Amino acid sequence: MTEESPGQELLDAEPEDLSAAGQTPSLAERIEQEQKERRLRAEIIDVGQSWYGGSSYTAERGAALYGAGRDLIQYFGAEEEAVHTQPLSAAELAEIRACLLTTPSQHELAAHLASAPVVLLRGESHSGRWTAAVCALLEHGLTCSHLVARDPKKIRARDLRPGHGYVMRVDDVSWPRHPQAVIDQLSAVARESGAAIVALVPGSCAVTKCVVTHVAPAAGDIVRQWLAHLVPGIEPQLDDLREALDEHVVGCRPWQAVNTAVQLSDGLRRGRRLADMIADLPYTALAGLPESLKQSEPALSRHFLISSAVLYGLPEAIVSEAALALAYRIRQDEQRDPADEEEQGLPVWERLSEWIEHPTLDATRTHRGGEGQRIELRPGMADRLLTTIWEQLPGVRPALYDWLTDLVADDDWRVQLKAAHAVGKLATSDFDVIDKRFFTPWSEDAGQAKVLAWAVESAALADADVAALVRRRLKTWTTGSYAQRISAALAYGSSVGVRHVKEALEALHTVAAGAVWWETCDGVARSVAEIYTSETAAKVLGALARWVGGEHPGERLSAALAFVRLATAEQEDESHPPLWRHEPVSDLGLLWFNALDLGLSATHGRRRFRPYTPSAWTLMARWAERAASEPVIGAVVHEVIRRTTVRVRPSWLFHLHLWHRRGSITADQFTHYLRLVKEGRSCP
């Protein structure tokens, strides 16, 4: 690097003399837009996971630590290892005992464990298998732990402990073609270690030896048991509403029943009546959806329903316009009699009130003028309505895919984001189809990178199995074409990156180190800021500090763009994990210096480049102002100024005089900082 061009040797940017340069949004404008998108993403997740105004996930400034929705899928903070065990906490065990509903399959499983060290529990995902397995192991007095193995054949006796019982989830992807051989190996390992293993296998698993078929409890019983645990004293109301509850949870799967109990408890804490909430449960409406889709009047109501399932929460005019576009596409795909020369037009005289009468929809007036009504889904519908429609109407799917493709190209970014999330939800119904139709083509088009990131986030949040498939795609894209690398970089800035922060940072570093365009670095920086939470802060800032010392200019630029985003968010959101808490101080000094350095313009040959991070100097002014009364921040500012080089010295002198004149820093600070600047490093 040189004083003339620090860090831009290989990175192209908009030279100042190009008229197109002004068309690129500034960093401050990009950060503002990212915050808007983050809020809408959080709102979509909130509507899907919290039916009655509560919040079943934790989001720090939008970089979300998404909950598992109480579906008994376990996520661990540790990075994936070949074999990983995690003991159940006391709180988990207490909750299991309090909410347990014993079943015949649980007793059968416990009986098998008396004579076999490895038993398979066969059944659907999210059906309560995990709880039944834990309870069966507890019956034998074993200490229960999770057992996670990417390849069951890699489990060894040293991975297990005597007197422990392990529950291992073995999905379709990792289960081998000849599972009996693996079962025999696991049995030998379990006997040698003095442990027991219950493997949760899919219903399609063809093993017949040492296998129990899981039978789930009734949905109504699950809701009552969990709600009694979550809201002590609610039992009399539950007894009075027993028949209504059983009627309204018909078709509800066990994990959905648990989630329903959580949602009802949230609503009760907010003053909602239990009877009203039960009447609003989505399962009855979803069960009746196939019949309502057969109705042909009003003709456009079905199109409006599909549009609402995608664009809920947006103004009615947007939802209606999209519904008409969908109707036009479906009409184009319908087979028509060639002899029919007269093209029948759309029924334009149908009333909106007829469309909104569907039991899954609602309309609310906004508090802002000029927006009219907003179309909302009834509680619990956001994550279910579109996939149910997809399952019931296979003939509409081609037109639906084309319509969603149009929506993600809409001029309104809100429509783009909503449509992308809808595509992600559909991936839970058939990942291969959606991957081929959307994910793979989008990964080959850099212009679709943001849309793809939104879609895979939605898919990963909706289903743990799909999340594993998404991660495999991202790992492949990280070392692929330019379009695939930028797609992977943006996609890691989501729940995928938060849950697997080490993997995300390594992938983002790979992309940054190979960057030749500043847009790539900006995408990396955006994702780094998204995965910065109280739990990941130390890892994120430590990684950025290492990037500053990297050999490639893309590492420095990505670190600077990410750090400015973090410093900006800290100023605007009190819940943001404070940067000043990070240790060592030298990391913060290095990151600040890098951002300030790249906040100045530079030249490369005859070309002059605008500063990449000019707002860094404004942000540093606020830190310098706080330094007089906050010693920790004072130490950081001291460390930053101590690193002054010939290149940044004039800018430091200018800003110190400016801040002193404005009263932002004291006279003592001004004198001290001037001395540090003049004593700074003589190197470029």
Side-chain angles (χ1 to χ4, degrees):
M1 297 182 187
T2 66
E3 179 182 353
E4 181 183 56
S5 176
Q8 286 111 331
E9 291 93 335
L10 300 178
L11 293 171
D12 201 359
E14 304 90 2
E16 288 185 342
D17 59 351
L18 289 184
S19 59
Q23 298 175 4
T24 302
S26 67
L27 178 57
E29 291 171 332
R30 298 198 300 277
I31 292 175
E32 181 181 1
Q33 179 61 26
E34 290 164 15
Q35 291 170 339
K36 292 179 182 178
E37 294 168 2
R38 186 181 302 119
R39 284 193 291 270
L40 182 55
R41 285 165 49 213
E43 179 183 314
I44 293 172
I45 297 164
D46 197 22
V47 169
Q49 295 188 352
S50 179
W51 304 352
Y52 301 111
S55 180
S56 58
Y57 75 105
T58 301
E60 297 181 274
R61 194 192 39 79
L65 296 173
Y66 302 93
R70 291 186 179 268
D71 57 0
L72 304 185
I73 296 176
Q74 306 303 313
Y75 295 101
F76 308 113
E79 292 298 313
E80 278 194 3
E81 303 169 6
V83 179
H84 174 70
T85 62
Q86 178 80 19
L88 269 69
S89 67
E92 284 180 296
L93 290 172
E95 188 172 66
I96 289 170
R97 291 189 174 102
C99 301
L100 174 64
L101 287 169
T102 58
T103 63
S105 53
Q106 177 189 325
H107 294 311
E108 185 182 353
L109 178 61
H112 275 73
L113 286 169
S115 57
V118 176
V119 183
L120 276 59
L121 186 57
R122 180 167 52 200
E124 294 184 8
S125 297
H126 321 321
S127 62
R129 295 176 304 168
W130 183 82
T131 303
V134 170
C135 292
L137 292 169
L138 290 174
E139 285 189 38
H140 289 275
L142 300 172
T143 301
C144 293
S145 296
H146 307 280
L147 175 60
V148 181
R150 285 179 287 182
D151 184 353
K153 298 189 297 294
K154 299 293 180 65
I155 298 174
R156 298 291 182 265
R158 63 176 178 272
D159 298 317
L160 310 178
R161 298 178 63 183
H164 279 60
Y166 297 90
V167 182
M168 177 175 64
R169 184 172 179 267
V170 187
D171 58 30
D172 291 299
V173 176
S174 59
W175 194 248
R177 293 182 179 179
H178 305 288
Q180 190 60 57
V182 179
I183 294 172
D184 292 340
Q185 177 186 331
L186 287 177
S187 297
V189 169
R191 285 195 183 93
E192 181 182 348
S193 63
I197 299 173
V198 176
L200 309 181
V201 297
S204 59
C205 182
V207 177
T208 58
K209 181 181 178 182
C210 290
V211 61
V212 174
T213 299
H214 176 62
V215 179
D221 292 338
I222 296 174
V223 174
R224 278 185 285 271
Q225 189 79 0
W226 272 84
L227 196 54
H229 168 65
L230 296 169
V231 186
I234 197 68
E235 291 86 350
Q237 290 189 59
L238 289 173
D239 289 339
D240 294 340
L241 297 168
R242 173 176 292 272
E243 186 176 340
L245 178 60
D246 289 340
E247 177 186 343
H248 282 84
V249 294
V250 171
C252 176
R253 297 172 65 189
W255 73 269
Q256 294 172 328
V258 175
N259 189 42
T260 297
V262 174
Q263 301 294 347
L264 292 174
S265 68
D266 284 345
L268 287 168
R269 282 192 291 271
R270 286 164 175 78
R272 295 287 301 271
R273 293 181 66 247
L274 181 59
D276 293 340
M277 290 189 292
I278 289 175
D280 279 342
L281 289 176
Y283 307 108
T284 302
L286 288 172
L289 187 61
E291 190 63 32
S292 66
L293 291 173
K294 294 179 183 178
Q295 299 175 4
S296 58
E297 295 294 337
L300 294 176
S301 62
R302 289 172 293 186
H303 309 89
F304 186 79
L305 179 64
I306 296 174
S307 182
S308 300
V310 174
L311 302 175
Y312 61 88
L314 297 185
E316 171 272 318
I318 294 177
V319 180
S320 295
E321 182 179 356
L324 294 173
L326 175 61
Y328 180 74
R329 274 208 170 273
I330 292 176
R331 287 177 62 83
Q332 285 183 315
D333 290 352
E334 287 177 343
Q335 295 293 332
R336 300 192 176 279
D337 185 352
D340 186 4
E341 298 180 357
E342 182 178 355
E343 180 70 19
Q344 182 180 357
L346 292 175
V348 296
W349 300 110
E350 289 185 357
R351 289 174 297 166
L352 176 66
S353 59
E354 295 176 316
W355 299 351
I356 301 177
E357 285 178 355
H358 195 278
T360 62
L361 303 181
D362 201 357
T364 58
R365 283 283 174 187
T366 64
H367 298 293
R368 296 163 57 181
E371 286 195 351
Q373 300 182 94
R374 284 184 180 271
I375 302 302
E376 304 289 355
L377 300 182
R378 296 291 175 84
M381 288 291 179
D383 287 341
R384 296 169 175 82
L385 183 56
L386 181 63
T387 52
T388 303
I389 293 172
W390 183 91
E391 292 167 358
Q392 294 294 328
L393 298 175
V396 172
R397 292 173 191 170
L400 176 64
Y401 297 154
D402 291 339
W403 176 69
L404 287 171
T405 300
D406 292 341
L407 290 183
V408 297
D410 195 272
D411 293 335
D412 190 332
W413 65 269
R414 299 173 301 172
V415 174
Q416 295 177 17
L417 196 157
K418 287 276 190 177
H421 266 255
V423 169
K425 290 174 186 175
L426 292 179
T428 64
S429 297
D430 194 321
F431 184 86
D432 290 338
V433 168
I434 299 303
D435 181 41
K436 183 178 180 180
R437 180 64 175 79
F438 293 99
F439 294 169
T440 296
W442 284 350
S443 73
E444 297 166 354
D445 180 358
Q448 299 289 352
K450 186 190 293 187
V451 168
L452 177 58
W454 290 334
V456 297
E457 174 186 41
S458 173
L461 277 172
D463 187 278
D465 295 330
V466 174
L469 297 174
V470 165
R471 288 175 61 206
R472 291 191 184 98
R473 291 291 186 277
L474 297 187
K475 290 178 182 178
T476 301
W477 295 342
T478 298
T479 55
S481 65
Y482 165 73
Q484 290 175 328
R485 291 197 304 274
I486 193 66
S487 297
L490 291 179
Y492 270 115
S494 66
S495 62
V496 177
V498 174
R499 287 173 174 167
H500 306 279
V501 64
K502 181 181 178 182
E503 173 187 316
L505 288 171
E506 289 175 351
L508 291 169
H509 178 251
T510 298
V511 176
V516 294
W517 304 101
W518 75 267
E519 291 96 335
T520 308
C521 299
D522 197 57
V524 169
R526 172 179 178 148
S527 288
V528 169
E530 289 288 338
I531 64 176
Y532 180 82
T533 71
S534 57
E535 292 191 0
T536 65
K539 292 181 180 179
V540 169
L541 292 175
L544 291 180
R546 291 191 295 273
W547 295 7
V548 173
E551 298 180 354
H552 194 281
E555 298 172 80
R556 277 197 66 201
L557 180 53
S558 297
L561 292 167
F563 188 74
V564 167
R565 281 174 165 83
L566 297 178
T568 301
E570 182 181 56
Q571 298 288 349
E572 299 179 357
D573 187 348
E574 294 181 355
S575 67
H576 188 278
L579 294 171
W580 57 263
R581 290 182 180 171
H582 179 73
E583 293 181 350
V585 170
S586 57
D587 280 356
L588 292 175
L590 186 61
L591 290 168
W592 267 116
F593 172 78
N594 183 55
L596 295 170
D597 187 25
L598 292 175
L600 304 176
S601 60
T603 58
H604 184 65
R606 296 183 178 181
R607 303 178 69 189
R608 184 172 181 82
F609 294 87
R610 296 182 300 168
Y612 288 111
T613 54
S615 57
W617 289 93
T618 303
L619 295 167
M620 173 50 70
R622 299 173 185 172
W623 273 54
E625 185 175 359
R626 295 170 58 189
S629 58
E630 301 180 47
V632 176
I633 292 181
V636 175
V637 175
H638 177 96
E639 176 69 17
V640 176
I641 299 178
R642 187 186 65 80
R643 294 174 176 272
T644 299
T645 62
V646 172
R647 168 177 156 77
V648 299
R649 185 172 295 156
S651 185
W652 264 119
L653 293 173
F654 168 78
H655 282 94
L656 288 175
H657 281 88
L658 176 64
W659 299 341
H660 182 234
R661 188 179 185 86
R662 290 178 174 175
S664 300
I665 58 176
T666 66
D668 289 343
Q669 282 180 286
F670 178 64
T671 302
H672 176 62
Y673 293 159
L674 275 181
R675 180 176 57 81
L676 287 176
V677 169
K678 293 176 181 178
E679 293 176 355
R681 295 149 57 191
S682 59
C683 60

